[in-house]
Amino acid sequence: MQSLLSLSKWQVFAWLIGACLSAPLAFLIFESLQGDSDVFTHLWDTVLWDYIYNTLVLIAGVLLLSCLIALPLGWLTAYCQFPGKKYFEWALMLPLAMPTYIIAYVYTDLFDYAGPVQIALREWFGWQSPDDYWFFDIRTLGGAIVMIALVLYPYLYLIFKTALREQSFKLLQASQLMGMSPLQSFFKVSLPLARGAIVAALALISMETMADFATVHYFAVSTLTTAVYDTWLGYYSLTAAAKISGIMLLFLFVAITLEKISRKNTTVHERQSAVNDTHLYVLSGKYAWFASIYCIVVLFFAFALPVGVLVSYSIDYFDQAWNSEFFLYAWQSLKISLWVSVIAIALSIIVLFYQRIGEQKSKALPGRVSSTGYALPGTVLAIAVLLPLTLLDTKLNEWLEGTTFEPGLLFSGTIFAMVFAYVVRFYAIAQGAVEASYVRISPSLDMASQSMGKNFAQMLTSVHIPLLRGGILTAGLLVFIECMKELPAALLLRPFNFETLATHVFQYVSDEQLELASISALFIVLVGLVPLYFVNRSMEQHNS
Amino acid sequence: MKKALAILLSTVTCLPAMAAEEINIYSFRQPFLIQPILDDFTKQTGIKTNVVFAKKGLIERVKREGKHSRADVVLTSNFSALMQLESMDLTQPIKSDAVTKNIPASFRDPEGQWVALTKRVRNVYSSKERLGKLDALTYEELADVKYKGKICTRSGKHPYNLGLVASMVAHHGEAETKSWLEGVKANLARKPQGNDRAQVKAVKEGLCDLALGNSYYFGKMLQDEKQKPWADSVYINFPNQTNRGAHLNVSGVVLTKYSKNKENALKLIEFMTDNKAQNMYASMNMEYPVKPGVALSELVASWGEFKEDNLPLSEISKYRPLALKLIDEVKFDL
Amino acid sequence: MSSLSLKNLSYQYDGQKVIENLDLEVAENEIVCLLGASGCGKTTTLKAVAGLLTPQQGQIVIHGKTMSDNTQFTAPQHRNIGMMFQDYALFPHLTVAQNIAFGLSKFNKADKQERVNEMLELVHLSEFSERYPHELSGGQQQRVAIARALAYKPNLLLLDEPFSNIDAQVRFQLINDIRQIIKDQKVSAIFVSHSKEEAFAFADKLAVMHQGKIAQLGDAKTLFEQPACKEVAEFLGQGIYIPAQAEDKCDFTTSFGRVTSTKVCENAQGAGKIYIRPAHIQLENGETNDVEILQSRFIGTEFIYQIKVADQAIEVPVESEHALNINEPVTFKIKPHAVNFFS
């Protein structure tokens, strides 16, 4: 009876969280049921298919390119010894801290027809007009794919590397002894075994890609996100916008389902984790050179070059770009990112805990509905968040009418709205990372802990949470960095006079004058590096 | 119970106590463009200004916040946002003799639901080197096959272009505008992208010969060390001078329906329509002031007098949704 | 021609010598066990043979082909070696049949299928071919592992503690089965173990390793009866040292009386110690009380007495009908046997 009672308490918690985090989307869908669908029919007849095509090509391109970049890097750093590996291993995560809207701006500035690279080429070769030569056009679908992949590949890199680390070396040694070269072993053993992890990472990347607006907008590539903005803010049709969001959610649902299916197939295997103390392959000669150069090239384009350009902007425009308010903006960014990370992780642990101990068939549902906010583009999410929050505020004000206190927009007009929106958006990342750790905790530990008279809460705090450490750290890192970069929701939901680094940068980016905010942009990257450093160090200490 | 909760909430929440001498602004315009004017206002009146800036979604936010919204005024960068706020019943009449006196009737709503603050012209820039000055140019000519592969513009769905297309519909009707759009699209040197400055830059680099752009960008580029060579490579042309005149857009302001600081808001609006602020708009942002008699910046004045399209903005605004549909239909941006 | 020849092999890790100047020959179709306590270098030797690590010094020759010496190194995938791991290292994402077929990349499709079937039959797992490894019992997994390692006809088979995860009741049956399979396939094998019982049952020859060197190589009986050094003697069976004086090469005096050796001890001279195993001890109630009985337990056919003698503890079995009266004095006698004398 005791146990039944406490179980239902967790069930209530989990469902409550699920309800809160999916409320914005639910309200959005409810709103969309009222109203006409003329605009949607019009879009359907004209541009929608182009948008869907662009969206699919964009996602496919980003996934493919991310694989090409991240899979070799994951394999090299997990299994091989080569010069500089120790540094590359964590440096390769740096591009995570680079917002897409900044990298897109910097690259356009460099490689545009009117940019320094093409100008230099024209001067060098004496070309006069664009007809004299061919140069790739950065403001295209292809350009957008490259930009997005350059900042999102670290997801795949991080998750894939961890998965490889957990595979037993013996499997690869066995494969090698049976005549497979290291490369063949990679394709025949490592890759299929890490499939679940790869699909999980790709699902994350495709959701991020789908939600991206800044880059595709800047590159004038029309995707479904563009369509949502157009319909909502151009045609002022919430119905059509919600319907298009519905199409995107369908993509998302497919992505999540794929991920779940592949995870289900691998749960049995994942129990065989191994701690491998030494390197499997020691690269030498040209292979070692090749490995190091590959890492350097990726780091150069994804991180060093854009940061270098920002630094050069900062020096050229120092007087205009310097602003003593930076530290305040940085502090506000930091504060909100920390809050969101802690809340998202705490909620995901509760939901996953219920998923583990629950006996109802529906126990996985709270986790699933909670993750739906991830694929919504920032501004859409922001408006969707306003729907329940403003309703709540109105009700609260009505209820308190006649008392001395008039709360006003207690939820929607304060920093609460921002934190809530961020949590809704990034909860999926936290849950994904924590869940990956959770499946590795043996169920017999639960039984052992219960048999020793611990209740659920004690089991959670004294057994699960210490064992989830790795997952929690990864989740914290990813959510934190995403929060630092997040823009549209911050822009729309912030209270008066509240600036984060990202919103400060945006007012200049939106006027195509990033130069004037280059120091703030550097700050975003730098503040993002702080947790990267600490989490990395903490993981290293844990491993050794 | 209710009372207890009310007291509890009022103590734990960090809601800033709303001082009387304050005004809250939702702005579609970048803070760095309007801050000097707001600072001057505060200096003069002692009223503090609080700003939220966003490029998208502010109208939805005002709507959702309803009667508890703390926004007193909304500053917009184009006329369609003004009309939208009005049509969604989020505004209240600006009742001020000063404003009525300052702003000509065609640049404010008859009931005072919105007021324009500055004017900007949709100009066409031409390459000095390759095309020279084009005094007789019309918007209609942009579809002429002689400019094939020579035109650059930003996205057709940007409010500035949308306003222009809506005015074309207002003057020529739907069918003619659609074939005009198709013609312009066929003449584009590249897919619509970037902002208005980027188009001038592309002319400088030889990518195209004609670029659509708002007037104030030209002035601002001339003031920027890095961008001056771009602006120096083009002439600014005022289209349709021989017939209806050049298309105008405006930035403007509304007083929100549930403004809590209406007095102060009115003071701000009056301030913004008066000589001092109008002058600042003109000299700093290179815009055309709406108040008659306010001097243009020297630079803007040097571009010469021009004829404005007199069709009322509210009339043009009616065709905005249709303009958007046409742009989708011809796949202008794709 | 020997199947494997190691000459002067040395390997260091982190500045510590793990194998030192090791020599070993394995004949055709011979099973050699590397026996020793953990840390003696036996698994490292196995990995060096497989090519999974690179020795700093020495030569490895397999079937007349030099795999590794100071100038060259053949990668593991080109050595044609079969290996069975302690945890079997079966690929969890592949079925039993796919696991066995893994090394058969040079076979065409039909040959591959035929070989897989042949191997499945050999290990009696034909009906399990479509199962995944985690659906099999430990013994079945082990048979898949041996089938997989033998499928591509390796020149040499390496087995790394293959029986340590198997229940004691079925272990010796399995050892016999697998030994038979290896013998049938006519392949030479090196087998690593720390259990002398497994080694005795499985190998033709034993190489007892100690501190990175082979202390002694020989068949089980020779090693047991004529250990070359204390380490080998101790490793092959529990025992105690009794001070002794060699009278001649077959006769020794101890404080427990005279001991006669059934073999000639070449090194017997002067004062030394003899190594006594439980089987050579006779306990009976007598006049002198030589031992202290620490504990006794009955296991059916015999009693096991834990005794302390000459300051060393040892367990000695005594048949039930000769059970001791532990309240009476107990006399310690040494039966005549092949004495191991160490000076």
Side-chain angles (χ1 to χ4, degrees), chain B residues 171-222:
Chain B
H171 288 293
H172 299 294
E174 183 179 344
E176 210 172 306
T177 306
K178 188 173 174 184
S179 57
W180 175 73
L181 272 174
E182 278 164 348
V184 177
K185 180 177 158 64
N187 283 348
L188 292 179
R190 59 176 187 186
K191 195 172 73 168
Q193 58 189 268
N195 66 0
D196 283 355
R197 284 174 217 258
Q199 315 311 321
V200 176
K201 187 179 176 189
V203 174
K204 155 87 166 85
E205 295 303 332
L207 199 61
C208 40
D209 298 344
L210 284 175
L212 270 168
N214 277 0
S215 50
Y216 54 89
Y217 282 117
F218 191 59
K220 301 200 96 178
M221 280 191 284
L222 285 169

Side-chain angles (χ1 to χ4, degrees), chain B residues 219-279:
Chain B
K220 301 200 96 178
M221 280 191 284
L222 285 169
Q223 285 180 330
D224 185 301
E225 208 175 303
K226 189 178 125 190
Q227 297 170 356
K228 190 166 185 298
W230 310 350
D232 281 339
S233 73
V234 298
Y235 288 116
I236 183 168
N237 302 297
F238 292 89
N240 295 65
Q241 293 305 297
T242 51
N243 46 41
R244 66 177 183 268
H247 169 67
L248 286 182
N249 207 319
V250 298
S251 75
V253 62
V254 304
L255 177 61
T256 60
K257 188 169 184 181
Y258 300 105
S259 168
K260 310 276 184 299
N261 304 297
K262 198 170 153 188
E263 298 275 298
N264 292 341
L266 280 173
K267 274 187 203 159
L268 177 71
I269 295 170
E270 281 168 9
F271 179 82
M272 289 184 124
T273 56
D274 211 348
N275 289 345
K276 181 102 189 259
Q278 289 284 307
N279 227 324

